Amino acid sequence: MAIPVINFSKLEGEERAKALAQIANGCEEWGFFQLVNHGIPVELLERVKKVCNECYKNRAEGFKTSRPVQLLDRLVQEEEEVEKKKLEDVDWEDVFVLEDDNQWPSHPPQFKETMKEYRAEVKKLAEKLMEIMDENLGLEKGTIRSRFTGGGHLRPFFGTKVSHYPPCPRLDLVELGLRPHTDAGGVIVLFQDDHVGGLQVLKGGEWVDVQPLADAIVINTGDQIEVLSNGRYKSAWHRVLATSDGNRRSIATFYNPAAQATISPAAEATGDGTGTYPEFLFGDYMDVYVKQKYKAKEPRFEAVKAVN
């Protein structure tokens, strides 16, 4: 099995119907797919890789004193004294998040300008994808974006998680760079490393590699898209494996509802008008999610239902 790879430029030509069907299949059958010819300039992607790699080099020393490294060191010291066990409750990851109004790294000097330009392009792509999902689901154009913004009155969450997965010296003790989970929000736009793999998605009970592909953009759908589509689109479980060599770069941008946005199945997606998911505020869902991120997602919907 392989993650679907879709030529996004086909939406503008005679093969539009085929491209729409491919995206629908990616959303329905996988919850993950890759886009090529997506419209984000390759020259910009190269600059993003460069500034993020340089930024990580500047942070690498700090990772040596991070919680994952400290926990691993402690486990190594204890392994001759106690039964050997793995480090399972932590991610082998160096990470920070970019939002419009938080503090960004100042090194390298080009970082802020480059990432601001990149985020603007990603936002346009995410909003175009939401319109395509509207079309494929039989929703009025702009429905998903309107739900995320409370009819245009609220600002959606738009954050970029810049991650690096450094080489891990003890893969016998640390298996995962990022533990299995589904994403809580809406549309996730990922620019992953084109050399160092490790990202996997769960499909039919089997972990499938999201193969590195130069200049491609990986798309996955979060829990809120599953709710709005009344389960037609599923948020997929995914994880990142730790590696002993290479330094995996991952730049994931999340276009999520505003905290006060009301989320429920879109009427057109329910067929008979009955949704199988509750109505809730996204902020209430996030309160549940942060406590249950690595657990089954179905109880999250039940928990948030109880809040209301």
Side-chain angles (χ1 to χ4, degrees), residues 67-124:
R67 180 171 179 266
V69 174
Q70 290 176 351
L71 290 174
L72 177 59
D73 288 345
R74 190 180 308 159
L75 202 59
V76 170
Q77 291 171 7
E78 295 175 351
E79 68 177 336
E80 294 183 359
E81 304 170 18
V82 299
E83 183 180 354
K84 188 173 182 179
K85 58 181 179 180
K86 290 189 176 182
L87 196 61
E88 297 178 336
D89 60 347
V90 69
D91 302 318
W92 193 261
E93 177 187 36
D94 175 67
V95 60
F96 58 91
V97 176
L98 307 176
E99 299 179 44
D100 288 339
D101 53 2
N102 72 340
Q103 186 173 355
W104 293 22
S106 57
H107 180 83
Q110 304 85 1
F111 182 88
K112 188 170 185 179
E113 177 185 351
T114 299
M115 294 307 294
K116 184 177 181 181
E117 184 179 348
Y118 172 73
R119 276 169 47 84
E121 291 288 337
V122 167
K123 192 171 188 178
K124 288 190 294 184

Side-chain angles (χ1 to χ4, degrees), residues 56-295:
Y56 170 71
K57 289 177 183 177
N58 194 52
R59 295 170 56 89
E61 197 65 29
F63 185 75
K64 295 178 181 178
T65 58
S66 67
R67 180 171 179 266
V69 174
Q70 290 176 351
L71 290 174
L72 177 59
D73 288 345
R74 190 180 308 159
L75 202 59
V76 170
Q77 291 171 7
E78 295 175 351
E79 68 177 336
E80 294 183 359
E81 304 170 18
V82 299
E83 183 180 354
K84 188 173 182 179
K85 58 181 179 180
K86 290 189 176 182
L87 196 61
E88 297 178 336
D89 60 347
V90 69
D91 302 318
W92 193 261
E93 177 187 36
D94 175 67
V95 60
F96 58 91
V97 176
L98 307 176
E99 299 179 44
D100 288 339
D101 53 2
N102 72 340
Q103 186 173 355
W104 293 22
S106 57
H107 180 83
Q110 304 85 1
F111 182 88
K112 188 170 185 179
E113 177 185 351
T114 299
M115 294 307 294
K116 184 177 181 181
E117 184 179 348
Y118 172 73
R119 276 169 47 84
E121 291 288 337
V122 167
K123 192 171 188 178
K124 288 190 294 184
L125 178 59
E127 291 176 345
K128 188 170 184 178
L129 280 163
M130 287 191 285
E131 290 183 355
I132 291 167
M133 291 177 192
D134 287 335
E135 184 173 349
N136 278 335
L137 289 167
L139 308 178
E140 183 179 345
K141 183 177 180 179
T143 295
I144 295 176
R145 186 176 177 184
S146 178
R147 290 295 192 91
F148 281 18
T149 61
H153 301 293
L154 303 170
R155 188 175 77 165
F157 174 84
F158 186 69
T160 300
K161 177 187 173 190
V162 181
S163 302
H164 284 86
Y165 300 94
C168 180
R170 294 293 302 269
L171 294 184
D172 58 325
L173 300 179
V174 181
E175 179 184 5
L176 298 172
L178 184 61
R179 288 165 283 173
H181 65 286
T182 65
D183 289 325
V187 176
I188 298 86
V189 181
L190 170 66
F191 182 35
Q192 70 163 346
D193 201 293
D194 51 7
H195 294 292
V196 183
L199 176 61
Q200 296 183 323
V201 58
L202 190 63
K203 170 70 171 171
E206 178 182 344
W207 287 106
V208 180
D209 292 332
V210 181
Q211 63 274 26
L213 186 61
D215 305 322
I217 293 291
V218 180
I219 304 297
N220 73 284
T221 50
D223 296 345
Q224 307 316 303
I225 296 295
E226 178 170 331
V227 173
L228 283 166
S229 69
N230 200 36
R232 183 170 165 183
Y233 294 171
K234 298 290 188 182
S235 58
W237 287 88
H238 53 286
R239 68 183 186 181
V240 176
L241 299 178
T243 59
S244 59
D245 56 356
N247 170 54
R248 175 179 167 78
R249 180 190 60 256
S250 173
I251 305 162
T253 300
F254 300 80
Y255 196 121
N256 294 349
Q260 293 301 311
T262 299
I263 304 297
S264 64
E268 299 91 333
T270 62
D272 61 0
T274 304
T276 57
Y277 295 81
E279 179 179 287
F280 52 83
L281 293 180
F282 179 62
D284 289 341
Y285 185 82
M286 284 303 299
D287 288 343
V288 172
Y289 178 83
V290 295
K291 300 172 186 175
Q292 302 184 20
K293 178 177 179 177
Y294 303 109
K295 299 179 181 179

